[in-house]
Amino acid sequence: MEYKNLLIETSNGITTLMINRPQVLNALNSDVVRELECALYELDLDAAVRVIIVTGAGEKAFVAGADIKEMSEISAYEAHDFARRGQRLMLLINKMTTPVIAAVNGYALGGGLELALACDFIYASEKAKFGFPEVGLGIIPGFGGTQNLARLIGPNRANELIFTGRIINAAQAHAWGIVNEICAPGDLLPMAVSTAREIVGKGALGVTYAKDAITNGLNMTKEDGFRYEASLFGVLFATSDQREGMGAFLEKRTAEFKGK
Ligand code: DAK
């Protein structure tokens, strides 16, 4: 499928998906949300894609939020449709078997921060900025931001960030645990690719099941989460990747995983 607002490149199992509307700081309009949903759905079905890196085009922004111009003009029906699609996109990233890394190269505001938070983890350039300006627009985060941020950094810090609409820098986001690592702007994609390579070197099924256990386990009681983990752990013993991984260790060679 052709995308008007996305640049997608795959090499050695690693796909870089760049949101490409730099003239409006990569703001998410309904076309971008629709394209992201289709693209991620397609990429997740492609066995050649092992890790996806989501980033923004240009020097200034990852995504500066939902497209305020479009939002200011839509009807209630369109707002409802936009909300459903946006929320479906964020949930899709959680449900995908492929790990998704957000490489935040600049502003990640509102819906942009929600997109980053929906990813499996975030790397950021030292120039990145994070915030939820929604309360200043008379709304609240609506693509899962209240839920994902509070789960990630706890309710108190999430409350402070969301109630004030304050924009924080990369160092603060790192200190609060929103961002795993920060680096110089030019090092951001290489750092994400290097981590993606490490993941590609591991058994695809193990990575997928670990994502499943962590993401879904967070919505369970600890005991249910343990039970879920045990069942996924057991299933992996029916795979050739498990035999290959353990066999390679015992034979002192590098494992060659097949994802089966
Ligand atoms: N939407 C549309 N255009 C945007 C934009 C946005 N979010 N952000 C920036 N732009 C455009 C600017 O209008 C400007 O266009 P021109 O004037 O050149 O035509 C161009 O991008 C460059 O921006 P600036 O000139 O403003 O650049 P500065 O460096 O001066 O400022 C900034 C950068 C990021 C501080 C500033 O652009 C800014 O404050 N942007 C808006 C940030 C924001 O409030 N974002 C929206 C948050 S609310 C929903 C679920 C979720 C959401 C909505 C609905 N449902 C469930 C229905 C999400 C809501 C949000 O994301």
Side-chain angles (χ1 to χ4, degrees), residues 111-144:
L113 179 49
E114 292 180 299
L115 176 63
L117 289 168
C119 295
D120 296 311
F121 56 89
I122 303 174
Y123 284 163
S125 131
E126 287 154 354
K127 281 170 52 185
K129 296 210 165 22
F130 300 81
F132 278 123
E134 278 85 344
V135 290
L137 297 168
I139 57 175
I140 63 169
F143 289 157

PDB file of all heavy atoms in Angstrom, residues 111-144:
ATOM      1  N   GLY A 111      -1.202  13.926  21.475  1.00  0.00           N
ATOM      2  CA  GLY A 111      -1.317  12.646  20.758  1.00  0.00           C
ATOM      3  C   GLY A 111       0.044  12.079  20.362  1.00  0.00           C
ATOM      4  O   GLY A 111       0.194  10.861  20.211  1.00  0.00           O
ATOM      5  N   GLY A 112       1.048  12.946  20.193  1.00  0.00           N
ATOM      6  CA  GLY A 112       2.399  12.474  19.858  1.00  0.00           C
ATOM      7  C   GLY A 112       3.023  11.744  21.040  1.00  0.00           C
ATOM      8  O   GLY A 112       3.670  10.697  20.887  1.00  0.00           O
ATOM      9  N   LEU A 113       2.828  12.295  22.241  1.00  0.00           N
ATOM     10  CA  LEU A 113       3.328  11.607  23.432  1.00  0.00           C
ATOM     11  C   LEU A 113       2.528  10.322  23.658  1.00  0.00           C
ATOM     12  O   LEU A 113       3.085   9.289  24.058  1.00  0.00           O
ATOM     13  CB  LEU A 113       3.249  12.536  24.655  1.00  0.00           C
ATOM     14  CG  LEU A 113       3.703  11.960  25.994  1.00  0.00           C
ATOM     15  CD1 LEU A 113       5.068  11.280  25.901  1.00  0.00           C
ATOM     16  CD2 LEU A 113       3.757  13.057  27.061  1.00  0.00           C
ATOM     17  N   GLU A 114       1.235  10.379  23.343  1.00  0.00           N
ATOM     18  CA  GLU A 114       0.423   9.157  23.494  1.00  0.00           C
ATOM     19  C   GLU A 114       0.916   8.059  22.556  1.00  0.00           C
ATOM     20  O   GLU A 114       0.971   6.885  22.931  1.00  0.00           O
ATOM     21  CB  GLU A 114      -1.048   9.490  23.224  1.00  0.00           C
ATOM     22  CG  GLU A 114      -1.595  10.387  24.322  1.00  0.00           C
ATOM     23  CD  GLU A 114      -3.048  10.762  24.142  1.00  0.00           C
ATOM     24  OE1 GLU A 114      -3.366  11.392  23.115  1.00  0.00           O
ATOM     25  OE2 GLU A 114      -3.858  10.415  25.012  1.00  0.00           O
ATOM     26  N   LEU A 115       1.303   8.462  21.338  1.00  0.00           N
ATOM     27  CA  LEU A 115       1.841   7.476  20.394  1.00  0.00           C
ATOM     28  C   LEU A 115       3.149   6.888  20.946  1.00  0.00           C
ATOM     29  O   LEU A 115       3.348   5.664  20.938  1.00  0.00           O
ATOM     30  CB  LEU A 115       2.087   8.149  19.035  1.00  0.00           C
ATOM     31  CG  LEU A 115       2.735   7.298  17.959  1.00  0.00           C
ATOM     32  CD1 LEU A 115       1.838   6.109  17.571  1.00  0.00           C
ATOM     33  CD2 LEU A 115       3.045   8.131  16.706  1.00  0.00           C
ATOM     34  N   ALA A 116       4.024   7.744  21.456  1.00  0.00           N
ATOM     35  CA  ALA A 116       5.302   7.251  21.999  1.00  0.00           C
ATOM     36  C   ALA A 116       5.059   6.323  23.191  1.00  0.00           C
ATOM     37  O   ALA A 116       5.699   5.270  23.321  1.00  0.00           O
ATOM     38  CB  ALA A 116       6.189   8.430  22.404  1.00  0.00           C
ATOM     39  N   LEU A 117       4.120   6.715  24.061  1.00  0.00           N
ATOM     40  CA  LEU A 117       3.839   5.890  25.247  1.00  0.00           C
ATOM     41  C   LEU A 117       3.231   4.544  24.883  1.00  0.00           C
ATOM     42  O   LEU A 117       3.368   3.563  25.627  1.00  0.00           O
ATOM     43  CB  LEU A 117       2.880   6.632  26.190  1.00  0.00           C
ATOM     44  CG  LEU A 117       3.449   7.839  26.940  1.00  0.00           C
ATOM     45  CD1 LEU A 117       2.326   8.626  27.599  1.00  0.00           C
ATOM     46  CD2 LEU A 117       4.489   7.406  27.976  1.00  0.00           C
ATOM     47  N   ALA A 118       2.538   4.486  23.751  1.00  0.00           N
ATOM     48  CA  ALA A 118       1.946   3.210  23.319  1.00  0.00           C
ATOM     49  C   ALA A 118       3.025   2.241  22.831  1.00  0.00           C
ATOM     50  O   ALA A 118       2.813   1.029  22.809  1.00  0.00           O
ATOM     51  CB  ALA A 118       0.918   3.457  22.213  1.00  0.00           C
ATOM     52  N   CYS A 119       4.183   2.786  22.440  1.00  0.00           N
ATOM     53  CA  CYS A 119       5.275   1.929  21.954  1.00  0.00           C
ATOM     54  C   CYS A 119       5.882   1.156  23.131  1.00  0.00           C
ATOM     55  O   CYS A 119       5.625   1.445  24.292  1.00  0.00           O
ATOM     56  CB  CYS A 119       6.335   2.777  21.258  1.00  0.00           C
ATOM     57  SG  CYS A 119       5.711   3.559  19.744  1.00  0.00           S
ATOM     58  N   ASP A 120       6.716   0.167  22.816  1.00  0.00           N
ATOM     59  CA  ASP A 120       7.231  -0.711  23.869  1.00  0.00           C
ATOM     60  C   ASP A 120       8.282  -0.033  24.745  1.00  0.00           C
ATOM     61  O   ASP A 120       8.415  -0.364  25.919  1.00  0.00           O
ATOM     62  CB  ASP A 120       7.748  -2.006  23.255  1.00  0.00           C
ATOM     63  CG  ASP A 120       6.603  -2.768  22.607  1.00  0.00           C
ATOM     64  OD1 ASP A 120       5.563  -2.942  23.270  1.00  0.00           O
ATOM     65  OD2 ASP A 120       6.700  -3.127  21.424  1.00  0.00           O
ATOM     66  N   PHE A 121       9.051   0.876  24.173  1.00  0.00           N
ATOM     67  CA  PHE A 121       9.887   1.777  24.974  1.00  0.00           C
ATOM     68  C   PHE A 121      10.315   2.956  24.118  1.00  0.00           C
ATOM     69  O   PHE A 121      10.134   2.945  22.887  1.00  0.00           O
ATOM     70  CB  PHE A 121      11.074   1.071  25.645  1.00  0.00           C
ATOM     71  CG  PHE A 121      12.010   0.330  24.730  1.00  0.00           C
ATOM     72  CD1 PHE A 121      13.099   0.954  24.163  1.00  0.00           C
ATOM     73  CD2 PHE A 121      11.803  -1.026  24.463  1.00  0.00           C
ATOM     74  CE1 PHE A 121      13.982   0.248  23.342  1.00  0.00           C
ATOM     75  CE2 PHE A 121      12.675  -1.745  23.642  1.00  0.00           C
ATOM     76  CZ  PHE A 121      13.766  -1.096  23.080  1.00  0.00           C
ATOM     77  N   ILE A 122      10.867   3.958  24.821  1.00  0.00           N
ATOM     78  CA  ILE A 122      11.168   5.230  24.148  1.00  0.00           C
ATOM     79  C   ILE A 122      12.653   5.560  24.293  1.00  0.00           C
ATOM     80  O   ILE A 122      13.199   5.534  25.402  1.00  0.00           O
ATOM     81  CB  ILE A 122      10.335   6.386  24.771  1.00  0.00           C
ATOM     82  CG1 ILE A 122       8.836   6.082  24.709  1.00  0.00           C
ATOM     83  CG2 ILE A 122      10.663   7.715  24.091  1.00  0.00           C
ATOM     84  CD1 ILE A 122       7.960   7.124  25.441  1.00  0.00           C
ATOM     85  N   TYR A 123      13.298   5.903  23.169  1.00  0.00           N
ATOM     86  CA  TYR A 123      14.596   6.561  23.185  1.00  0.00           C
ATOM     87  C   TYR A 123      14.357   7.999  22.726  1.00  0.00           C
ATOM     88  O   TYR A 123      13.434   8.243  21.946  1.00  0.00           O
ATOM     89  CB  TYR A 123      15.570   5.886  22.200  1.00  0.00           C
ATOM     90  CG  TYR A 123      16.151   4.557  22.663  1.00  0.00           C
ATOM     91  CD1 TYR A 123      16.739   3.694  21.735  1.00  0.00           C
ATOM     92  CD2 TYR A 123      16.151   4.177  23.994  1.00  0.00           C
ATOM     93  CE1 TYR A 123      17.298   2.484  22.135  1.00  0.00           C
ATOM     94  CE2 TYR A 123      16.710   2.964  24.395  1.00  0.00           C
ATOM     95  CZ  TYR A 123      17.279   2.130  23.461  1.00  0.00           C
ATOM     96  OH  TYR A 123      17.836   0.937  23.856  1.00  0.00           O
ATOM     97  N   ALA A 124      15.205   8.911  23.179  1.00  0.00           N
ATOM     98  CA  ALA A 124      14.973  10.305  22.794  1.00  0.00           C
ATOM     99  C   ALA A 124      16.269  11.045  22.543  1.00  0.00           C
ATOM    100  O   ALA A 124      17.305  10.756  23.151  1.00  0.00           O
ATOM    101  CB  ALA A 124      14.192  11.025  23.890  1.00  0.00           C
ATOM    102  N   SER A 125      16.184  12.014  21.650  1.00  0.00           N
ATOM    103  CA  SER A 125      17.287  12.938  21.441  1.00  0.00           C
ATOM    104  C   SER A 125      17.301  13.928  22.606  1.00  0.00           C
ATOM    105  O   SER A 125      16.258  14.199  23.220  1.00  0.00           O
ATOM    106  CB  SER A 125      17.081  13.661  20.104  1.00  0.00           C
ATOM    107  OG  SER A 125      17.238  15.034  20.242  1.00  0.00           O
ATOM    108  N   GLU A 126      18.483  14.474  22.891  1.00  0.00           N
ATOM    109  CA  GLU A 126      18.596  15.489  23.965  1.00  0.00           C
ATOM    110  C   GLU A 126      17.699  16.681  23.688  1.00  0.00           C
ATOM    111  O   GLU A 126      17.375  17.443  24.587  1.00  0.00           O
ATOM    112  CB  GLU A 126      20.043  15.996  24.043  1.00  0.00           C
ATOM    113  CG  GLU A 126      21.005  14.999  24.635  1.00  0.00           C
ATOM    114  CD  GLU A 126      22.431  15.208  24.142  1.00  0.00           C
ATOM    115  OE1 GLU A 126      22.656  16.056  23.248  1.00  0.00           O
ATOM    116  OE2 GLU A 126      23.323  14.492  24.647  1.00  0.00           O
ATOM    117  N   LYS A 127      17.310  16.860  22.407  1.00  0.00           N
ATOM    118  CA  LYS A 127      16.469  18.013  22.054  1.00  0.00           C
ATOM    119  C   LYS A 127      14.982  17.719  22.192  1.00  0.00           C
ATOM    120  O   LYS A 127      14.147  18.590  21.926  1.00  0.00           O
ATOM    121  CB  LYS A 127      16.760  18.414  20.598  1.00  0.00           C
ATOM    122  CG  LYS A 127      18.046  19.214  20.458  1.00  0.00           C
ATOM    123  CD  LYS A 127      18.479  19.423  19.019  1.00  0.00           C
ATOM    124  CE  LYS A 127      17.404  19.997  18.128  1.00  0.00           C
ATOM    125  NZ  LYS A 127      17.852  20.067  16.716  1.00  0.00           N
ATOM    126  N   ALA A 128      14.631  16.492  22.562  1.00  0.00           N
ATOM    127  CA  ALA A 128      13.200  16.127  22.613  1.00  0.00           C
ATOM    128  C   ALA A 128      12.496  16.885  23.739  1.00  0.00           C
ATOM    129  O   ALA A 128      13.103  17.259  24.738  1.00  0.00           O
ATOM    130  CB  ALA A 128      13.068  14.624  22.821  1.00  0.00           C
ATOM    131  N   LYS A 129      11.192  17.082  23.543  1.00  0.00           N
ATOM    132  CA  LYS A 129      10.368  17.741  24.576  1.00  0.00           C
ATOM    133  C   LYS A 129       9.051  16.988  24.676  1.00  0.00           C
ATOM    134  O   LYS A 129       8.513  16.536  23.653  1.00  0.00           O
ATOM    135  CB  LYS A 129      10.102  19.190  24.188  1.00  0.00           C
ATOM    136  CG  LYS A 129      11.363  20.043  24.130  1.00  0.00           C
ATOM    137  CD  LYS A 129      11.035  21.467  24.477  1.00  0.00           C
ATOM    138  CE  LYS A 129      12.216  22.346  24.791  1.00  0.00           C
ATOM    139  NZ  LYS A 129      13.506  21.993  24.324  1.00  0.00           N
ATOM    140  N   PHE A 130       8.572  16.879  25.898  1.00  0.00           N
ATOM    141  CA  PHE A 130       7.405  16.032  26.153  1.00  0.00           C
ATOM    142  C   PHE A 130       6.342  16.803  26.920  1.00  0.00           C
ATOM    143  O   PHE A 130       6.665  17.562  27.838  1.00  0.00           O
ATOM    144  CB  PHE A 130       7.822  14.815  26.998  1.00  0.00           C
ATOM    145  CG  PHE A 130       8.864  13.957  26.344  1.00  0.00           C
ATOM    146  CD1 PHE A 130      10.210  14.306  26.399  1.00  0.00           C
ATOM    147  CD2 PHE A 130       8.501  12.816  25.645  1.00  0.00           C
ATOM    148  CE1 PHE A 130      11.181  13.526  25.779  1.00  0.00           C
ATOM    149  CE2 PHE A 130       9.464  12.030  25.023  1.00  0.00           C
ATOM    150  CZ  PHE A 130      10.803  12.389  25.098  1.00  0.00           C
ATOM    151  N   GLY A 131       5.096  16.561  26.594  1.00  0.00           N
ATOM    152  CA  GLY A 131       4.046  17.204  27.389  1.00  0.00           C
ATOM    153  C   GLY A 131       2.661  16.861  26.889  1.00  0.00           C
ATOM    154  O   GLY A 131       2.489  16.341  25.778  1.00  0.00           O
ATOM    155  N   PHE A 132       1.707  17.152  27.748  1.00  0.00           N
ATOM    156  CA  PHE A 132       0.294  16.990  27.397  1.00  0.00           C
ATOM    157  C   PHE A 132      -0.373  18.365  27.495  1.00  0.00           C
ATOM    158  O   PHE A 132      -0.855  18.746  28.573  1.00  0.00           O
ATOM    159  CB  PHE A 132      -0.378  15.999  28.370  1.00  0.00           C
ATOM    160  CG  PHE A 132      -0.150  14.560  28.021  1.00  0.00           C
ATOM    161  CD1 PHE A 132       0.438  13.691  28.931  1.00  0.00           C
ATOM    162  CD2 PHE A 132      -0.553  14.058  26.791  1.00  0.00           C
ATOM    163  CE1 PHE A 132       0.637  12.350  28.606  1.00  0.00           C
ATOM    164  CE2 PHE A 132      -0.348  12.717  26.462  1.00  0.00           C
ATOM    165  CZ  PHE A 132       0.240  11.866  27.370  1.00  0.00           C
ATOM    166  N   PRO A 133      -0.414  19.133  26.394  1.00  0.00           N
ATOM    167  CA  PRO A 133      -1.014  20.476  26.459  1.00  0.00           C
ATOM    168  C   PRO A 133      -2.544  20.469  26.457  1.00  0.00           C
ATOM    169  O   PRO A 133      -3.154  21.538  26.465  1.00  0.00           O
ATOM    170  CB  PRO A 133      -0.517  21.153  25.168  1.00  0.00           C
ATOM    171  CG  PRO A 133       0.318  20.170  24.444  1.00  0.00           C
ATOM    172  CD  PRO A 133       0.136  18.832  25.064  1.00  0.00           C
ATOM    173  N   GLU A 134      -3.172  19.285  26.485  1.00  0.00           N
ATOM    174  CA  GLU A 134      -4.617  19.188  26.287  1.00  0.00           C
ATOM    175  C   GLU A 134      -5.455  20.101  27.176  1.00  0.00           C
ATOM    176  O   GLU A 134      -6.412  20.714  26.719  1.00  0.00           O
ATOM    177  CB  GLU A 134      -5.088  17.729  26.485  1.00  0.00           C
ATOM    178  CG  GLU A 134      -4.895  16.853  25.264  1.00  0.00           C
ATOM    179  CD  GLU A 134      -3.510  16.245  25.168  1.00  0.00           C
ATOM    180  OE1 GLU A 134      -2.578  16.709  25.864  1.00  0.00           O
ATOM    181  OE2 GLU A 134      -3.340  15.298  24.382  1.00  0.00           O
ATOM    182  N   VAL A 135      -5.118  20.166  28.495  1.00  0.00           N
ATOM    183  CA  VAL A 135      -5.989  20.968  29.379  1.00  0.00           C
ATOM    184  C   VAL A 135      -6.015  22.435  28.943  1.00  0.00           C
ATOM    185  O   VAL A 135      -7.002  23.118  29.163  1.00  0.00           O
ATOM    186  CB  VAL A 135      -5.618  20.835  30.883  1.00  0.00           C
ATOM    187  CG1 VAL A 135      -5.960  19.441  31.405  1.00  0.00           C
ATOM    188  CG2 VAL A 135      -4.164  21.179  31.144  1.00  0.00           C
ATOM    189  N   GLY A 136      -4.951  22.889  28.288  1.00  0.00           N
ATOM    190  CA  GLY A 136      -4.925  24.257  27.751  1.00  0.00           C
ATOM    191  C   GLY A 136      -5.842  24.424  26.549  1.00  0.00           C
ATOM    192  O   GLY A 136      -6.135  25.550  26.136  1.00  0.00           O
ATOM    193  N   LEU A 137      -6.262  23.298  25.965  1.00  0.00           N
ATOM    194  CA  LEU A 137      -7.193  23.351  24.824  1.00  0.00           C
ATOM    195  C   LEU A 137      -8.613  22.997  25.268  1.00  0.00           C
ATOM    196  O   LEU A 137      -9.509  22.829  24.446  1.00  0.00           O
ATOM    197  CB  LEU A 137      -6.748  22.352  23.731  1.00  0.00           C
ATOM    198  CG  LEU A 137      -5.387  22.597  23.074  1.00  0.00           C
ATOM    199  CD1 LEU A 137      -4.973  21.381  22.238  1.00  0.00           C
ATOM    200  CD2 LEU A 137      -5.435  23.841  22.195  1.00  0.00           C
ATOM    201  N   GLY A 138      -8.776  22.809  26.576  1.00  0.00           N
ATOM    202  CA  GLY A 138     -10.117  22.488  27.087  1.00  0.00           C
ATOM    203  C   GLY A 138     -10.488  21.029  26.945  1.00  0.00           C
ATOM    204  O   GLY A 138     -11.658  20.659  27.016  1.00  0.00           O
ATOM    205  N   ILE A 139      -9.484  20.166  26.736  1.00  0.00           N
ATOM    206  CA  ILE A 139      -9.760  18.721  26.624  1.00  0.00           C
ATOM    207  C   ILE A 139      -8.787  17.949  27.525  1.00  0.00           C
ATOM    208  O   ILE A 139      -7.996  18.568  28.251  1.00  0.00           O
ATOM    209  CB  ILE A 139      -9.681  18.215  25.149  1.00  0.00           C
ATOM    210  CG1 ILE A 139      -8.298  18.522  24.541  1.00  0.00           C
ATOM    211  CG2 ILE A 139     -10.803  18.829  24.312  1.00  0.00           C
ATOM    212  CD1 ILE A 139      -8.099  17.953  23.129  1.00  0.00           C
ATOM    213  N   ILE A 140      -8.871  16.626  27.487  1.00  0.00           N
ATOM    214  CA  ILE A 140      -7.884  15.794  28.196  1.00  0.00           C
ATOM    215  C   ILE A 140      -7.248  14.858  27.170  1.00  0.00           C
ATOM    216  O   ILE A 140      -7.792  14.690  26.068  1.00  0.00           O
ATOM    217  CB  ILE A 140      -8.516  14.960  29.349  1.00  0.00           C
ATOM    218  CG1 ILE A 140      -9.556  13.949  28.811  1.00  0.00           C
ATOM    219  CG2 ILE A 140      -9.126  15.869  30.405  1.00  0.00           C
ATOM    220  CD1 ILE A 140     -10.013  12.923  29.850  1.00  0.00           C
ATOM    221  N   PRO A 141      -6.123  14.234  27.492  1.00  0.00           N
ATOM    222  CA  PRO A 141      -5.564  13.245  26.565  1.00  0.00           C
ATOM    223  C   PRO A 141      -6.614  12.171  26.269  1.00  0.00           C
ATOM    224  O   PRO A 141      -7.287  11.699  27.196  1.00  0.00           O
ATOM    225  CB  PRO A 141      -4.369  12.667  27.333  1.00  0.00           C
ATOM    226  CG  PRO A 141      -3.991  13.725  28.321  1.00  0.00           C
ATOM    227  CD  PRO A 141      -5.289  14.375  28.708  1.00  0.00           C
ATOM    228  N   GLY A 142      -6.758  11.818  25.006  1.00  0.00           N
ATOM    229  CA  GLY A 142      -7.847  10.909  24.634  1.00  0.00           C
ATOM    230  C   GLY A 142      -7.417   9.675  23.869  1.00  0.00           C
ATOM    231  O   GLY A 142      -8.241   8.880  23.442  1.00  0.00           O
ATOM    232  N   PHE A 143      -6.101   9.541  23.660  1.00  0.00           N
ATOM    233  CA  PHE A 143      -5.603   8.320  22.999  1.00  0.00           C
ATOM    234  C   PHE A 143      -4.841   7.468  24.022  1.00  0.00           C
ATOM    235  O   PHE A 143      -3.757   6.964  23.752  1.00  0.00           O
ATOM    236  CB  PHE A 143      -4.668   8.661  21.839  1.00  0.00           C
ATOM    237  CG  PHE A 143      -5.349   9.254  20.626  1.00  0.00           C
ATOM    238  CD1 PHE A 143      -4.629  10.036  19.725  1.00  0.00           C
ATOM    239  CD2 PHE A 143      -6.684   9.001  20.342  1.00  0.00           C
ATOM    240  CE1 PHE A 143      -5.223  10.579  18.601  1.00  0.00           C
ATOM    241  CE2 PHE A 143      -7.296   9.543  19.214  1.00  0.00           C
ATOM    242  CZ  PHE A 143      -6.569  10.343  18.343  1.00  0.00           C
ATOM    243  N   GLY A 144      -5.389   7.343  25.221  1.00  0.00           N
ATOM    244  CA  GLY A 144      -4.783   6.461  26.215  1.00  0.00           C
ATOM    245  C   GLY A 144      -3.718   7.107  27.078  1.00  0.00           C
ATOM    246  O   GLY A 144      -3.104   6.441  27.921  1.00  0.00           O
TER     247      GLY A 144
END
